[in-house]
Amino acid sequence: MVPDLEDRSARDGGAQVESFHLYNPSGHSTYDRRHFAGPKIVTDHLPPQDIDLRPSSRGLTTSCAFCPTLKAIPLASFYKLHRLPPVITMNEKSVDTYDSIHLPTQPALLAPEMPEKSPQHAVHNKLLEQVVRTPGREPSPQPTHLSVPGASQHRILQEEGPGYVAPKFEGKDLQMDQVMDQIEEKGFMPPEFVESETNWFYNELGIDDMYFQTETVEAIVNHILSLYAGKIAAYARDDKRLEIRLDKEAADHAVYIDTSKPGISVIDGPRYEQRIDEKYIDGSTSKNSYRVETFRSGSHLPGDKDQQLRCYFVYKCQFANPNPGPDETDLEIIGEKRFLQKATQNTKAIYQGVMKHAVGRTGPVIEMVDIEGSREKRLVIAYRQGSAMGLFSALSDLYHYYGVTSSRKYVEQFSNGFTIMSIYLRPLPQSNHNAKHPPIEASIHQIMKEVSLLYCIPQNKFQGHFASGRLSLQETIYAHCVWVFVGHFLNRLGSEYTSLASILDPNNSVHAEMLSKIKRRLRTETFTSEYILEIINKYPDLIRSLYLAFANTHYVQTRGEQDDFIPTLSYLRLKVDKVLDDSELKTLISKTVGNEHDEMVMTAFRIFNAGVLKTNFYTPTKVALSFRLNPDFLPEVEYPQPLFGMFLVISSEFRGFHLRFRDIARGGIRIVKSRNREAYSINARSLFDENYNLANTQQRKNKDIPEGGSKGVILLDHHHQDKARVAFEKYIDSIMDLLLPPTSPGIKDPIVDLHGQEEILFMGPDENTADLVNWATEHARKRGAPWWKSFFTGKSPKLGGIPHDIYGMTTLSVREYVLGIYRKLNLNPSAVRKLQTGGPDGDLGSNEILLGNEKYTAIVDGAGVLMDPSGLDHIELLRLAKKRAMISEFDITKLSPDGYRVLIDESNITLPSGEIVNNGMIFRNTFHLRGDKQFDLFVPCGGRPESIDLSTVNKLIVDGKSTIPYIVEGANLFITQDAKLRLEKAGCILYKDASANKGGVTSSSLEVLASLSFDDAGFLENMCIHDDGTVPPFYTSYVKEVQETIKRNAALEFEAIWREHQQTGIPRSTLSDTLSIAITKLDEELQNTELWKNIELRRSVLQDALPKLLLENIGLDTIMERVPDNYLRSIFGSFLASRFVYEHGSNPSQFAFFEFMSKRTAKLNKQ
């Protein structure tokens, strides 16, 4: 046993060691022979039993707090005891157990010089120069904060005690007497034990005076009697084991007392820490939160030297100032009253420093403080309330895994919306049990690193393997991420579906409908997430091997010989365990799994490993886990249009994708919410396909602009439907980890970049994210992104944004198609009966009402259905549209006798026709499918994708004719392609979303172009509305030019589709795609031809393509100098391609392009 430091000090008169040495027994050739001098501590490498606390024989003393004499052991042997499976040693003599390694009886004194070369068998680090690095760009401030080992000296807390001092309870002695009196009155405990049991409870369990001041005498009596009853029960047990389980939950506080074995996570039992997480910590807000104090008893329980009591005390917060300013960090203002009363000045100083860091971060602040004169470490973690669910209990599993236990823990809440946890960690008492664990001086740094990983997913799907020590935290979170991946990509359709699809005729509506149903059924029933989880859980050893292959590719030993703890435990695993290549893993999986399904699931791990091009998994600080994937693994039969880039982001609150079809691509980020668990399961199954289809639609929609199509979708976990903002911030920040170069060692370390090319993403608002884009823009600027101005569109005008909703950008394009139909067919708009999904509360819906002059017959929105065959009151609709209010606020007194409103929460409603509506929700969801010929025009401006598919479209077709003559699809993917074809075959004039709904992307593209063309000063002067509300004249004029460009592009495409349909009879929905494909294909070809190299032609095309206002204010030469070359090349290609295809069609003659370019050349010659 290693004596405590206090015992050692008493024994040697306080002598402390200046230098310590590595023992070199002759029987072990692999021992490190280096000498370490000064305060450098190498306990990072060694198990605690190899620490000799005797002072150096030189008798030297310094102020070093703890520098023991050490001996070294083979690192492979150290790791061997840390893992369950056998390991392969590092070219060293086999050492079976630590029993064969003896403590020195007389430490040898070695030469004080460090050898010039590393020992022969030392573990070498992965060199940073050998790693494919992210291309250098601009500095990126860290989104989280981690005190870095080696970067600076850790703070040493010169304070005895816990850092908290409870106000003395003056009535404690009187209360103790009252407690003993009541215990005697109850007669349950023998009188001779009353005083000793009461004294033990009051004075030996470490419970502070706040508990006694808070609790009633009756509650304390019950607790003491319960503990005594536990002792009696233990006496009656065969194993004599004492088990205590006490809990009391009141309105403003709670008490939990449990028996606990230090360093062991209790998987069964009451799980009080998980209960505290779920009931008191996870839901904390500045208005309603709880602080927690927990202590471990200083003495062991009678008759059981391994067990102690763990006491938890929860108190409802009473803030000194419950409504501080948004940027307030002063603890005296934002602190809780009990905390301010109990915390020492040292504790307040630590928390104050952490708080100042935390308010400027997206993720957690993690710091460590040494306790003077002790091996105990104080771990302090600060994070935003509600951003890490289950973290308190998960932290226990983490430090237990490394053989560390806590003596006391505190969870403090602050009224500015932050939580700070403080955990006092100490090594386990010496025993054979913890021989496999590294010393706390080493493991504390690994714990700090892994707290950031734990913060991303505090409670992963394989937590049981981690809590039991079977798998490490990294391995279980890796498995969790692959489980998510497998759930999206394993339940594919397979070769049977491909074969069937090739046999059936896709133009036959019966065949097409059958294929649609088979596809939906196969994806639902093959591999559920629960079944995949069950399979993965069976193979922890396979997880370990697959994780090692992943880590061998992406883990970087970043600081080389400057590391405080070389090698890190993560790196040591790679050097000791055998890393299998892909073929060896394939063989291992085949030999290990029990059946074909298991092999498919575990093989998906190999696919995941092969697909990851870069990840922030090993970045020291992060808020969610992000993976840049190579999308080549996607089957072509299901995804015929190949993706260029694919990001997968995973956190406890959400999962999300970002997909793009070109390097330069643009698209919005949407957040998908689910009303219940069943809806979540449906959304999860369709998440990737919906994202792919949205991005593909965007690709076709972006035919007129230089950017290709992209889309991001964030699916909130069904437990975290209120965490939209948290999820969005984590999603954006973790993707930025993979876009920006690391410049802060220990904070944002370099990553392995197998992609090897600079990437810039252009994003915009979509469902549930319109109010979050300002934050994303500011965050990109704070992280030093050079492209922060163009990162997000749809931002506030104060940041240079052009809001689509305010200026009706998306609606302007949709209206051009509606007006085009009126013009071609000579229709009177005021006589057209109109149905619209997406009500006056939405962007597209409200502006469609404001710009439209039709006879509105029905509107369907999130609130319900509003219907009036005589026409809805137009003035009332305008009022709602301007207010952005739902139809639930419509004044129903303005309905005709035949009109009605049915809200989603209503039931058993009788309509004027006598029809009874049993369920308002179902009525709302299916209203657009009522084929009763009451509408002439249908403009979907909102609604879920595939609201009309092949299985429901027949409801809109009566006697072979479409009940709705004209449809302009404003909402993305509202109608499936096969359903569109059926409607057109039935006579409907239909323009699909990829054509009609492109005004927003045009506006966003021109917004980006302005941000790239101006320098920072010019951008702020001309594109940003000033703080006093002054709108720059350039901004007003530029918005008008953007609006005219949108209408011009929409009119050009409308005419091209109408003309080609008249000539060929090809459905307009098909022509829309054909035109898009023709434009994008020609665009890509033009960018790679010699035409771009013709400087005069290049300048001529850009002169026509670029907005006139930019040319007048900045000049073509300056624009060409500032805008990236690949972006200019995209403008060049897209402009020529779109103008040619709109003029000559999607299938022009072989001489058409020559004629087209001849005209342009002739124009150029005239100039």
Side-chain angles (χ1 to χ4, degrees), residues 1089-1104 1116-1117 1120 1125 1128-1129 1132 1136 1157 1160 1164-1165 1167:
T1089 63
E1090 296 295 316
L1091 292 175
W1092 172 254
K1093 296 181 181 179
N1094 185 327
I1095 302 301
E1096 291 185 356
L1097 177 63
R1098 182 194 308 177
R1099 294 177 62 88
S1100 173
V1101 171
L1102 292 176
Q1103 194 80 32
D1104 290 342
L1116 179 59
D1117 291 332
M1120 293 177 67
D1125 187 70
L1128 289 173
R1129 192 184 288 254
F1132 175 87
L1136 283 179
M1157 289 306 299
R1160 178 161 284 281
L1164 184 63
N1165 291 334
Q1167 295 175 349

Side-chain angles (χ1 to χ4, degrees), residues 337-548:
K337 292 180 180 178
R338 291 186 184 88
F339 164 77
L340 295 174
Q341 189 179 28
K342 293 181 65 174
T344 64
Q345 289 305 312
N346 273 332
T347 294
K348 289 180 181 178
I350 293 171
Y351 283 22
Q352 187 67 71
V354 169
M355 180 64 74
K356 287 182 178 178
H357 281 301
V359 294
R361 310 291 174 184
T362 308
V365 172
I366 307 164
E367 288 198 354
M368 187 268 285
V369 181
D370 288 310
I371 308 299
E372 186 180 40
S374 168
R375 294 180 68 192
E376 193 168 65
K377 313 290 181 181
R378 186 176 185 180
L379 187 64
V380 182
I381 304 165
Y383 60 93
R384 296 181 187 273
Q385 288 173 343
S387 65
M389 317 297 260
L391 183 63
F392 177 67
S393 56
L395 282 168
S396 298
D397 294 335
L398 176 59
Y399 56 72
H400 288 165
Y401 182 83
Y402 288 104
V404 175
T405 188
S406 62
S407 57
R408 51 197 181 277
K409 298 186 282 191
Y410 301 90
V411 179
E412 300 295 353
Q413 309 288 355
F414 296 88
S415 59
N416 65 343
F418 281 83
T419 300
I420 296 182
M421 293 184 183
S422 184
I423 305 173
Y424 288 76
L425 299 174
R426 60 175 56 168
L428 290 174
Q430 296 301 302
S431 67
N432 291 333
H433 166 73
N434 74 324
K436 67 179 183 180
H437 296 297
I440 191 171
E441 289 77 12
S443 60
I444 186 64
H445 298 303
Q446 189 72 8
I447 291 170
M448 290 174 66
K449 274 191 167 185
E450 295 197 4
V451 166
S452 179
L453 187 61
L454 196 66
Y455 173 84
C456 298
I457 309 177
Q459 300 289 337
N460 69 75
K461 289 294 181 179
F462 303 91
Q463 193 79 13
H465 285 299
F466 175 47
S468 65
R470 186 70 187 267
L471 291 174
S472 69
L473 177 67
Q474 294 174 356
E475 289 160 345
T476 55
I477 290 187
Y478 161 78
H480 178 98
C481 292
V482 183
W483 168 74
V484 172
F485 174 86
V486 173
H488 289 292
F489 301 111
L490 187 66
N491 53 346
R492 303 298 90 190
L493 305 180
S495 58
E496 294 83 0
Y497 176 84
T498 306
S499 301
L500 183 61
S502 65
I503 295 172
L504 298 178
D505 179 7
N507 295 319
N508 184 309
S509 60
V510 176
H511 291 186
E513 185 169 352
M514 184 173 67
L515 275 176
S516 175
K517 290 180 178 179
I518 290 173
K519 179 189 292 187
R520 194 181 302 273
R521 180 68 59 84
L522 284 173
R523 287 182 171 168
T524 302
E525 296 184 354
T526 45
F527 286 84
T528 66
S529 60
E530 292 79 11
Y531 183 41
I532 295 169
L533 182 63
E534 178 186 332
I535 291 173
I536 298 174
N537 261 314
K538 293 192 292 187
Y539 302 107
D541 292 340
L542 276 182
I543 293 173
R544 183 176 300 112
S545 297
L546 289 158
Y547 166 76
L548 282 175

Side-chain angles (χ1 to χ4, degrees), residues 431 514 620 669 873 902 918 1022:
S431 67
M514 184 173 67
I669 309 299
D873 187 278
V902 178
N918 295 317
N1022 292 285

Side-chain angles (χ1 to χ4, degrees), residues 126-166:
K126 183 183 293 185
L127 296 177
L128 199 56
E129 297 81 60
Q130 296 174 344
V131 179
V132 181
R133 294 289 299 277
T134 306
R137 293 187 282 278
E138 298 294 327
S140 57
Q142 56 274 20
T144 60
H145 175 81
L146 177 74
S147 55
V148 186
S152 61
Q153 290 292 329
H154 288 301
R155 187 183 312 188
I156 298 178
L157 186 60
Q158 297 177 334
E159 175 179 78
E160 295 183 3
Y164 285 77
V165 178

